[in-house]
Amino acid sequence: MPQAPIARIQSGDDPYRWLEERDAPEVLAHLEAENAWLEAELADQQALRETLFQEIKGRIRETDLSLPVPWGPWLYYQRTTAGDEYPRHYRCPRPDDGSLALDEAREELLLDPNELAAGGFLSIGAFSISPDHARLAYSLDTSGDETYQLYVKELASGEIHTLPFAQCDGSMTWANDSATLFFGELDDTHRPHRLYRHRLGQDGAELVFEEGDGRFFLSCYRASSERQLILLLNSKTTSETWVLDADTPEGAWTCLAPREENHEYYADHGKLHGQWTWLIRSNQTGINFALYQATETEPGRAHWRELLAHDEARMLEGVSLNAGGYVLSLREGGLPIIQVHPEGAAPYPLQLPDAAYSLYVQDSLEFDSPVIRLRYEALNRPAQVRQLELATGTQQVLKETPVEGPFDADAYVSQRLWATAADGTRIPISLVARRETLGQPAPLYLYGYGAYGESLDPWFSHARLSLLERGFVFAIAHVRGGGELGEAWYRAGKLEHKTNSFGDFIACAEHLIAEGYTSSTQLAISGGSAGGLLIGAVLNLRAELFAAAIAEVPFVDVLNTMQNPDLPLTVTEYDEWGDPSDPEVFERIRAYAPYENVRAQAYPAMLVVAGYNDSRVQYWEAAKWVARLRASRTDTHPLLLKTDLGAGHGGMSGRYQALRDVALEYAFLLKVLGLPQR
């Protein structure tokens, strides 16, 4: 009978630091032993895992076509084929009648990731067609470490040029001459810090900009108008924007507003009332952002004119624009709202049918398009791509993600609940279940994140139906630290307020138990990355409240990581967690860090997943945490570590590989919760 891996202990404050020795034979042997232990522990579930995989796969339309995107003389689209891990990229001539009808006899294959992956890991960074539609610039990560190789394909001949640059961040931005590319370079901490200009046919690249402050990331992209290039430099709290006429790639960049600590602003270029203009979203008058306009010729901050004032009750999250007007992405009461400002007409909001949902502008299409595309989905409603006519507000569902086999959205109930935290704050919960499941305690899967101001808006999942059909309830805890209720909600769950995230999650769990949705013996929790920190912290605080936990690429060694500025992302993360070189911050982080606070108590059954090539959360965070748990815990529940030795932060890259990972997690939950293995 195999034995659970026992990690050797070294002396010092961090007894498992030896697991940080990447590629050391003893480290690889330990990770492989953990993987073998997981397979041995779950050996009786092989048939169930295959059943779940086939079940989930059976709901997904394996051969499908994406919605074509019109641009210039072409329609661009993707096609998935049964058996392939990745969609292929195509284009065909655009019909003269303005429809989206495909001329498959004249279609061109632009890129086949299945051929490029050759069975291994593959992630596409940039996929950028040149303005003259003659070339494709793309970048590939073949290990999962988010370092990319750059390529340019001549679409007429099929010739591919491998650009001779290393340590690239994957970005590739065309100037309007269709011969000049701007790309980013990573520094030793995996931070995009330099922007280069490369002219096709030349050997090297010219350095355009270098960002010396380790808190700031650099990115370059085309404005909505396609007339300007934008260089954004931003930290977690401050930003700075430089712009360049896309017709003059050799020209000098202009700064819209020099950086000022705690001033964030984001600009886009378009037309307003017939004049080329800049629209700028800025927090200079309030944390929820206001909207400003500046002329093309005088874009500096002194010339910004307010279009929409700051609103304490409503967050301005984004602006999308084209020749037909602009669209505001707002957030109020924990829900996203779209407000349309058509050119020459009164603004109007969009009306939506569900209590909790996800809604955002998916594509503003060509600048002169009279329509834009929205993506809308709910926990019980598959994603829809809706076309919105800006001038009239008319909506048309162009495509709904199909669910193969029997499926009725009305068979599921989607709810918005509110828990109350210890300080009286009301915490939103989004929830879905089959109608007949509600009314008595049921197995419940509670998910959380709560960091970086990211909003976990409800999303539909084909795979999740396998849990719901087995009597599960699925819920999302929208804890402080996320962005669901605006910037103040985010700030109330970061830095010195980080423990609010943990208390909120526990309050949500207690509320779901108290209201009869579940019980502590049926409650499973899950989170990934910074959400893994959330899971690790609440397990240390209230382990008895939960029956099972899944932590994916968990940021659990936060104190040690934040003390190592040579690691990717550490310096820029000071604005989120604090700099532990300050003794007060050190003690604050140490008080909640999951790894440091493992103690002798009974923990629930746990499945922990890591990626060996993960550049954001190093594999050793999960490995060290599990080793410490094995040495300290007083229970005998399953404690399993799975390290994907050929993947990074996002796990395995292929769609079938990802489904097999989900099947493993679901089978684990059915086993540890004592549910039927079918």
Side-chain angles (χ1 to χ4, degrees), residues 83-270:
D84 287 341
E85 294 282 4
Y86 307 94
R88 292 177 175 84
H89 298 259
Y90 293 88
R91 72 178 180 183
C92 74
R94 187 174 182 175
D96 293 334
D97 62 6
S99 73
L100 300 178
L102 300 183
D103 185 350
E104 296 186 16
R106 300 171 64 194
E107 76 178 6
E108 299 178 11
L109 175 63
L110 303 177
L111 197 69
D112 183 357
N114 299 285
E115 180 182 325
L116 298 172
F121 182 94
L122 185 76
S123 175
I124 298 176
F127 185 94
S128 181
I129 300 292
S130 60
D132 65 0
H133 301 270
R135 299 183 173 103
L136 166 65
Y138 64 97
S139 58
L140 302 177
D141 167 17
T142 55
S143 69
D145 68 353
E146 299 183 69
T147 302
Y148 292 81
Q149 178 63 59
L150 310 183
Y151 303 89
V152 173
K153 181 178 181 179
E154 302 287 344
L155 296 180
S157 66
E159 182 181 4
I160 296 174
H161 308 284
T162 303
L163 303 190
F165 309 117
Q167 286 298 109
C168 298
D169 69 351
S171 64
M172 301 178 77
T173 305
W174 289 104
N176 280 349
D177 62 4
S178 296
T180 303
L181 280 167
F182 293 87
F183 66 90
E185 181 188 68
L186 301 168
D187 67 8
D188 291 339
T189 67
H190 221 78
R191 176 181 65 97
H193 74 129
R194 288 176 178 162
L195 182 71
Y196 285 91
R197 175 172 48 224
H198 170 68
R199 187 166 180 83
L200 299 182
Q202 297 181 353
D203 292 334
E206 180 184 356
L207 179 63
V208 172
F209 197 97
E210 182 169 8
E211 175 54 64
D213 190 327
R215 299 177 304 152
F216 283 76
F217 280 40
L218 171 154
S219 60
C220 181
Y221 52 95
R222 291 169 65 85
S224 295
S225 67
E226 300 179 3
R227 290 167 51 96
Q228 296 281 338
L229 304 180
I230 297 174
L231 170 60
L232 176 64
L233 309 161
N234 65 301
S235 72
K236 295 288 191 297
T237 61
T238 306
S239 65
E240 180 177 271
T241 299
W242 295 70
V243 299
L244 175 69
D245 188 322
D247 289 332
T248 58
E250 302 288 336
W253 294 74
T254 299
C255 182
L256 296 188
R259 72 186 62 173
E260 180 180 296
E261 196 65 27
N262 296 317
H263 179 215
E264 296 180 73
Y265 71 97
Y266 305 93
D268 199 1
H269 184 260

Side-chain angles (χ1 to χ4, degrees), residues 278-296:
W278 289 97
L279 288 186
I280 303 124
R281 186 174 67 95
S282 164
N283 68 351
Q284 65 179 355
T285 57
I287 62 173
N288 281 341
F289 288 81
L291 184 65
Y292 300 86
Q293 176 190 3
T295 65
E296 185 178 58

Side-chain angles (χ1 to χ4, degrees), residues 515-537:
E515 293 298 313
Y517 288 95
T518 190
S519 64
S520 60
T521 59
Q522 298 172 291
L523 178 55
I525 60 174
S526 177
S529 195
L533 185 156
L534 173 70
I535 298 304

